[in-house]
Amino acid sequence: MTAEITRTEKGYLATFDRKLSHDIEKVWQMLTDNEKIHQWFAGLQIEEPGKGGHLSFDMGNGHFEKMSITDFEAESQLGFEWGEDHVRFELTPADGETHLRMLESIPALTDHTPRDLAGWHVCLDVLEALLNKESIERTLEWEHWYPEYKRLIDSMSI
């Protein structure tokens, strides 16, 4: 299922929801343990954990983007700057499972927005697959989801 994208006073909000059949501690580790993060999102790394800390993102050209952590509550929430956008993961326990919600606040839609959304979609699918000890072919998944997000964003830009 694609993210839900809504207009807000400050732009747009993309909401990804996943129900994971794993306890909150395991899901939190996937979001905050660099070794685990690298498995589902290569190039992303927590440099200084905690609110006021920061992450870095390897742009692939020798440049690293520093992103401030804005929200950090163990096993509950992780929020950080993502360029002009803001990303926030929220975890809620649910009968031995975990509800993972990822929110991306987007000030303005660009040609790159559908790429980012498809990328996040695939990253969350990979995170879930890793927890389930399964594998996903990232490129095929992205090629599947990108046209869906492109169509969705194009329809909102009219």
Side-chain angles (χ1 to χ4, degrees):
M1 174 164 53
T2 60
E4 179 182 347
I5 313 224
T6 54
R7 291 182 196 265
T8 67
E9 289 180 15
K10 296 180 180 181
Y12 298 86
L13 181 66
T15 304
F16 296 85
D17 283 301
R18 298 286 195 281
K19 187 173 182 180
L20 306 172
S21 57
H22 299 276
D23 65 47
I24 207 161
E25 182 180 317
K26 284 184 181 178
V27 178
W28 181 250
Q29 288 175 354
M30 294 298 288
L31 297 176
T32 58
D33 179 309
N34 285 328
E35 207 171 290
K36 295 185 184 313
I37 295 169
H38 296 163
Q39 294 174 19
W40 63 270
F41 199 131
L44 187 64
Q45 180 159 310
I46 295 181
E47 300 293 345
E48 185 181 332
K51 189 172 182 173
H54 69 279
L55 296 95
S56 66
F57 179 60
D58 184 349
M59 302 296 284
N61 58 4
H63 176 70
F64 290 81
E65 184 78 25
K66 182 178 175 181
M67 301 172 294
S68 296
I69 296 174
T70 57
D71 306 287
F72 191 95
E73 187 176 326
E75 298 183 1
S76 177
Q77 58 185 291
L78 170 65
F80 53 90
E81 295 173 349
W82 184 256
E84 297 298 315
D85 301 351
H86 183 266
V87 171
R88 181 180 165 114
F89 292 94
E90 299 174 347
L91 303 179
T92 308
D95 298 323
E97 298 183 329
T98 301
H99 176 226
L100 168 65
R101 172 170 279 174
M102 191 201 112
L103 306 153
E104 182 174 7
S105 300
I106 306 166
L109 300 178
T110 69
D111 290 342
H112 205 273
T113 302
R115 292 180 175 282
D116 279 348
L117 294 174
W120 280 118
H121 188 113
V122 172
C123 283
L124 293 173
D125 286 351
V126 170
L127 183 150
E128 183 174 7
L130 288 165
L131 284 166
N132 294 336
K133 299 187 185 327
E134 300 170 353
S135 64
I136 288 182
E137 171 46 56
R138 294 171 193 256
T139 303
L140 291 176
E141 285 297 305
W142 189 87
E143 289 172 354
H144 170 78
W145 288 108
Y146 172 69
E148 292 294 316
Y149 284 102
K150 175 99 171 86
R151 181 192 58 72
L152 183 59
I153 296 304
D154 287 349
S155 73
M156 295 187 83
S157 302
I158 297 173

